[in-house]
């Protein structure tokens, strides 16, 4: 990395673009300060509104920053006390486990259903493809806040369309006046359903577009060699799509784990804190209980989990890329 | 109809039927929003749902629009969103061109930082950002929200625009310089028009990010007249009684710009997204 940078930095700098023989690959002149001037605003903004808060988050997590600190600006450093405290808290442990389960369920459903949907899009007539794509784009475009409010309306106990339909179908008996959001597991189920429904178009359309880039001749050749559906899936589709699948998985893990709006709007983490995830708990601890230090330490735990997961994934990906070179 | 189908055609027919079913299930909540918004009041609160709103009524929209400060919330949302989109595009365009066209010290480090920063979740940052804005007395202050949104989309917009700049042949820029353009003129007259599709795609992401954000606006904006649409929409559902008709009509108004935007650029959206995803 340093090599290439150094080489380019010592290249002769032409003060003015000179009309001359064409064919040089790089831009004609190489002013030294111009690129810095061009990136400076972005760097300054990132340092101020992302870099500084990130450092502040870390220091905050080691401070006893309570309601009084808000006004005095003074807070004692307590080392890792916030962390030992939250990890000894059984509520936090339950939230941690719930967040992991929630994330795993959401991401698994998203990836499996998204893959199936992209597969379906490959094998339908053009009109059906356009129709499905338009429907998916509409779901994708619907703002999360609006989607959550519509969800709440659909599952409204007395007048919601969901209870009416389920009662009609007679699968679960009479569900008129049934309040989904007063039962923790069912409320969480509906939140997962909402997250998966809302996130599915992005996954499905991305995978569909990526599959369009795989040459059809590969599949034809495999079929001539007598490969079945599962074999072409395992030996062609998955290996080629692996980078896209990996990036999608990482993104969906980050997004699911930090999902706030649907949970907050539908249940506020209730009933009895039983639909609270790490993001909601960090918010509640900081802004409802005014324990900014503890809230920050919960947020730090979330970021650390995500960081470990991302590094693990990126490294595995790099390893696979090296091995896959000869396959 | 009764003619025997080849296996391939039968398979396609089965797939088409599944696609119809999947589309119907997926799009139903979106449809239900529109259907509810246009229903008469009596048809909304009925034990048997009315699947097609008839007669179509605009009373829900009238009630939503008549809520106190409705246009103030629309104005706030538009101000915050458009300012943060324009600012982030101007700032990230400069950075994107610099990264794509110049080799300078720290270029790769900067790119790595952009990727990593993108992974830091917004919900973790809300606590320090709140305390920071509080310490400089910028809570409940529109520019504070604008700068926050602008910065949170920056890593994404710089990264995406960089890809689009790299897609424009350098030779075109060289030719313009040879023809006597200044560097700035060259960017405005040659590069910018060619980047338009990329700028549109990027601005949609920036727009949706700010338009739809609930958490930051909820934490930072305290006085009611500073609410953005999402914060107001959620505060709509008070514990006592919810005017579902007006709430869903307001949600419809709130969703409409994004829905139209997405439908218009649908093809480009999917294409741009994957080229970015595959290249990483």
């Amino acid at each position: 990395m340093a090599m290439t940078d150094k080489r380019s930095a010592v290249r002769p700098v032409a003060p003015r673009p000179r009309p001359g023989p064409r064919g040089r690959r790089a831009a004609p002149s190489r002013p030294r300060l111009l690129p810095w001037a061009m990136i400076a605003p972005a760097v300054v903004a990132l340092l101020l509104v992302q870099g500084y808060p990130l450092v502040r988050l870390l220091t905050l997590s080691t401070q006893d920053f309570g309601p009084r600190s808000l006004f005095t600006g003074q807070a004692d450093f307590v080392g890792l006390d916030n962390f030992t405290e939250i990890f000894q808290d059984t509520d936090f442990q339950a939230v941690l486990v719930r967040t992991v389960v929630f994330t795993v369920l959401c991401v698994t459903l998203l990836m499996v259903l998204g893959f199936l949907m992209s597969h379906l899009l490959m094998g339908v007539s053009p009109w059906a493809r356009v129709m499905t794509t338009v429907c998916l784009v509409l779901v994708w475009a619907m703002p999360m806040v609006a989607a959550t409010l519509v969800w709440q309306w659909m599952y409204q106990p007395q007048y919601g369309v969901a209870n009416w339909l389920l009662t009609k179908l007679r699968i679960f008996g009479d569900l008129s006046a049934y309040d989904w959001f007063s039962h923790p597991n069912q409320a969480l189920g509906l939140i997962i359903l909402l997250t998966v429904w809302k996130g599915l178009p992005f996954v499905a359309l991305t995978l569909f577009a990526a599959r369009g880039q795989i040459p059809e001749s590969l599949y034809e050749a495999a079929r001539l060699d007598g490969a079945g559906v599962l074999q072409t899936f395992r030996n062609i589709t998955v290996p080629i799509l692996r980078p896209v699948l990996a990036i999608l998985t990482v993104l969906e893990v980050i997004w699911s784990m930090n999902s706030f709006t649907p949970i907050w709007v539908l249940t506020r983490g209730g009933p009895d804190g039983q639909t609270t995830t790490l993001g909601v708990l960090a918010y509640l601890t900081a802004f409802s209980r005014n324990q900014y230090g503890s809230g920050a330490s919960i947020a730090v735990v979330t970021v650390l989990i995500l960081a470990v997961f991302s590094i693990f994934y990126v490294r595995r990906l790099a390893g696979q890329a090296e091995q896959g070179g000869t396959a | 109809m009764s003619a025997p189908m080849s296996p391939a055609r039968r398979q396609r027919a089965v797939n088409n039927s599944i696609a119809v079913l999947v589309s119907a299930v997926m799009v139903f909540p979106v449809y239900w929003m529109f259907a509810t918004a246009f229903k008469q009041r009596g048809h909304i609160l009925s034990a048997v749902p009315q699947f097609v709103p008839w007669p179509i009524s605009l009373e829900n929209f009238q009630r939503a629009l008549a809520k106190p400060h409705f246009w103030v919330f629309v104005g706030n949302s538009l101000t915050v969103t458009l300012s943060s989109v324009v600012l982030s595009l101007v700032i990230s365009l400069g950075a994107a061109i610099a990264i794509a066209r110049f080799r300078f010290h720290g270029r790769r480090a900067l790119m790595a930082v952009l990727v990593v920063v993108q992974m830091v979740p917004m919900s973790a940052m809300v606590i320090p950002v709140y305390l920071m804005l509080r310490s400089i007395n910028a809570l409940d202050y529109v520019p504070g929200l604008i700068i926050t949104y602008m910065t949170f989309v920056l890593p994404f917009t710089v990264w995406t625009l960089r890809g689009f700049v790299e897609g424009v042949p350098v030779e075109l820029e060289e030719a313009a310089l040879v023809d006597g353009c200044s560097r700035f003129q060259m960017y405005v007259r040659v590069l910018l028009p060619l980047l338009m599709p990329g700028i549109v795609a990027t601005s949609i992401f920036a727009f949706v990010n700010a338009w739809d954000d609930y958490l930051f606006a909820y934490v930072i904006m305290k006085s009611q007249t500073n609410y953005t649409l999402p914060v107001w929409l959620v505060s709509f559902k008070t514990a006592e009684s919810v005017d579902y008709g007006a709430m869903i009509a307001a949600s419809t108004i709130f969703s409409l710009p994004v829905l139209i935007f997405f439908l218009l650029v649908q093809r480009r959206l999917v294409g741009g997204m994957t080229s970015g995803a595959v290249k990483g």
Side-chain angles (χ1 to χ4, degrees):
Chain A
M1 155 190 153
M3 292 268 294
T4 48
D5 287 344
K6 225 165 247 162
R7 215 181 326 139
S8 56
V10 293
R11 249 184 223 162
V13 176
R16 282 276 157 81
R18 251 176 269 150
R22 299 260 323 269
R24 276 195 297 162
R25 299 283 318 154
S29 77
R30 299 189 157 273
R32 244 176 236 264
L33 290 175
L34 186 63
W36 282 106
M38 286 166 85
I39 61 164
V43 170
V44 169
L46 284 172
L47 283 176
L48 281 180
V49 189
Q50 295 236 50
Y52 174 73
L54 196 59
V55 174
R56 187 81 187 81
L57 182 73
L58 289 173
T59 50
L60 201 59
S61 69
T62 64
Q63 283 178 325
D64 179 19
F65 199 102
R68 214 162 45 94
S69 317
L70 270 187
F71 296 95
T72 58
Q74 302 293 315
D76 298 330
F77 281 93
V78 292
L80 295 178
D81 281 6
N82 287 330
F83 291 94
T84 47
E85 214 167 281
I86 57 171
F87 273 104
Q88 276 160 9
D89 181 3
T90 47
D91 280 350
F92 173 81
Q93 291 164 8
V95 170
L96 185 64
V97 171
R98 187 178 307 123
T99 308
V100 171
V101 171
F102 174 83
T103 306
V104 169
L105 280 175
C106 283
V107 175
T108 311
L109 282 170
L110 274 167
M111 296 310 291
V112 171
L113 292 176
F115 193 91
L116 288 176
M117 219 174 261
S118 72
H119 186 76
L120 178 69
L121 281 169
M122 296 297 289
V124 295
S125 307
W127 64 265
R129 189 174 299 157
V130 171
M131 178 196 65
T132 314
T133 312
V134 167
C135 288
L136 291 179
V137 166
L138 285 173
V139 173
W140 184 17
M142 194 168 174
M144 190 45 126
V145 170
T148 312
L149 292 175
V150 169
W151 216 249
Q152 197 193 21
W153 165 233
M154 285 170 56
Y155 290 93
Q156 203 275 341
Q158 279 97 36
Y159 307 111
V161 65
N163 283 359
W164 175 85
L165 188 69
L166 289 171
T167 306
K168 275 276 168 232
L169 289 174
R170 293 168 187 278
I171 306 174
F172 307 104
D174 184 11
L175 286 177
S176 47
Y178 184 80
D179 188 359
W180 295 88
F181 298 111
S182 62
H183 302 73
N185 284 336
Q186 286 156 10
L188 204 61
L190 286 188
I191 294 167
I192 292 174
L193 198 62
L194 169 59
T195 310
V196 172
W197 168 77
K198 186 75 186 64
L200 205 48
F202 177 73
V203 180
L205 291 173
T206 307
L207 287 176
F208 172 61
R211 286 198 60 167
Q213 291 168 357
I214 304 178
E216 194 53 36
S217 55
L218 278 179
Y219 289 101
E220 277 161 25
R223 236 170 277 139
L224 283 178
D225 290 342
V229 176
L230 275 180
Q231 274 175 304
T232 53
F233 168 77
R234 248 188 47 204
N235 296 321
I236 301 177
T237 314
V238 171
I240 296 182
L241 292 188
R242 190 161 281 151
V244 186
L245 289 170
I247 288 167
L248 280 176
T249 311
V250 172
L251 284 177
E252 293 300 343
V253 167
I254 294 175
W255 291 338
S256 308
M257 199 153 169
N258 287 290
S259 165
F260 179 84
T261 307
I263 303 176
W264 187 251
V265 174
L266 287 177
T267 64
R268 303 226 151 192
D272 203 22
Q274 292 187 77
T275 58
T276 302
T277 58
L278 284 175
V280 175
L281 187 66
Y283 173 86
L284 283 171
T285 310
F287 295 104
S288 300
R289 289 173 218 144
N290 287 316
Q291 298 298 333
Y292 296 89
S294 300
S297 61
I298 296 169
V300 168
V301 171
T302 321
V303 174
L304 285 179
I305 296 175
L306 288 175
V308 168
F309 170 80
S310 308
I311 290 170
F312 169 75
Y313 221 99
V314 168
R315 283 187 59 178
R316 241 188 65 173
L317 195 70
Q320 276 165 349
E322 274 165 38
Q323 288 166 8
T326 51
Chain B
M1 229 184 186
S2 56
M5 281 197 223
S6 69
R9 282 194 59 190
R10 197 178 311 133
Q11 181 62 48
R12 181 150 291 218
V14 170
N15 286 346
N16 287 346
S17 337
I18 299 175
V20 171
L21 192 71
V22 167
S23 303
V25 171
M26 284 300 284
V27 91
F28 182 78
V30 185
Y31 169 75
W32 203 238
M33 176 174 79
F34 283 98
T36 307
F38 287 102
K39 274 180 203 172
Q40 283 184 337
R41 206 172 196 172
H43 286 139
I44 289 176
L45 300 183
S46 79
V48 179
Q50 183 198 27
F51 279 89
V52 180
W54 194 261
I56 284 180
S57 145
L58 295 176
E59 56 182 277
N60 296 322
F61 290 97
Q62 286 165 352
R63 282 205 313 286
L65 266 55
K67 295 277 172 199
H69 313 308
F70 175 81
W71 293 106
V72 175
F73 305 136
V74 173
N76 288 345
S77 268
L78 281 176
T79 310
V80 170
T81 306
L82 294 180
S83 319
S84 65
V85 169
V86 170
L87 264 177
S88 64
L89 281 181
V90 169
I91 290 181
S92 54
L93 199 56
I97 294 174
I99 291 177
R101 288 293 192 244
F102 297 98
R103 299 287 170 271
F104 53 90
H105 275 290
R107 175 177 165 275
R108 277 168 181 242
L110 184 68
M111 285 164 72
V113 166
L114 287 177
V115 175
V116 172
V117 164
Q118 215 177 330
M119 298 214 165
V120 177
M122 275 179 90
S123 69
M125 299 295 266
V126 72
I127 299 170
V129 168
Y130 169 83
L131 290 179
M132 191 173 94
L133 290 176
R134 194 179 192 282
S135 65
I136 57 168
N137 282 323
L139 281 184
D140 207 12
Y141 179 59
V142 173
L145 203 55
I146 294 174
I147 292 187
T148 311
Y149 289 156
M150 178 206 78
T151 316
F152 275 95
V153 293
L154 264 187
F156 178 83
T157 50
V158 173
W159 190 255
T160 322
L161 285 174
R162 173 207 62 104
F164 283 106
V165 175
E166 280 175 357
V168 176
V170 181
E171 283 74 15
L172 288 175
E173 292 180 17
E174 288 180 52
L177 288 180
V178 170
D179 287 346
C181 274
S182 74
R183 190 171 278 276
F184 183 72
Q185 281 174 322
M186 175 266 284
Y187 285 141
V188 173
R189 291 196 195 157
V190 179
L191 194 56
L192 209 56
L194 291 168
L195 285 180
M196 258 356 245
I199 291 177
V200 170
T202 315
S203 60
I204 290 175
F205 281 99
F207 184 93
V208 171
N209 188 71
W211 186 253
D212 195 17
D213 172 73
Y214 171 70
L215 180 58
F216 274 77
Y218 178 58
V219 168
I220 292 171
M221 295 315 205
K222 287 300 168 199
S223 50
Q224 211 208 351
T225 49
N226 274 336
Y227 280 3
T228 55
L229 280 171
V231 181
W232 172 67
L233 274 172
V234 173
S235 72
F236 213 115
K237 50 166 258 204
T238 46
E240 318 288 303
S241 69
V242 190
D243 181 351
Y244 280 103
M247 184 178 85
I248 299 297
S251 304
T252 311
I253 299 172
F254 170 63
S255 309
L256 222 46
V258 194
L259 291 176
I260 294 171
F261 223 175
F262 267 57
L263 278 183
L264 285 179
V265 294
Q266 195 219 109
R267 276 163 200 278
R268 191 156 278 152
L269 209 64
V270 178
M273 181 178 70
T274 34
S275 63
V278 176
K279 277 181 212 147

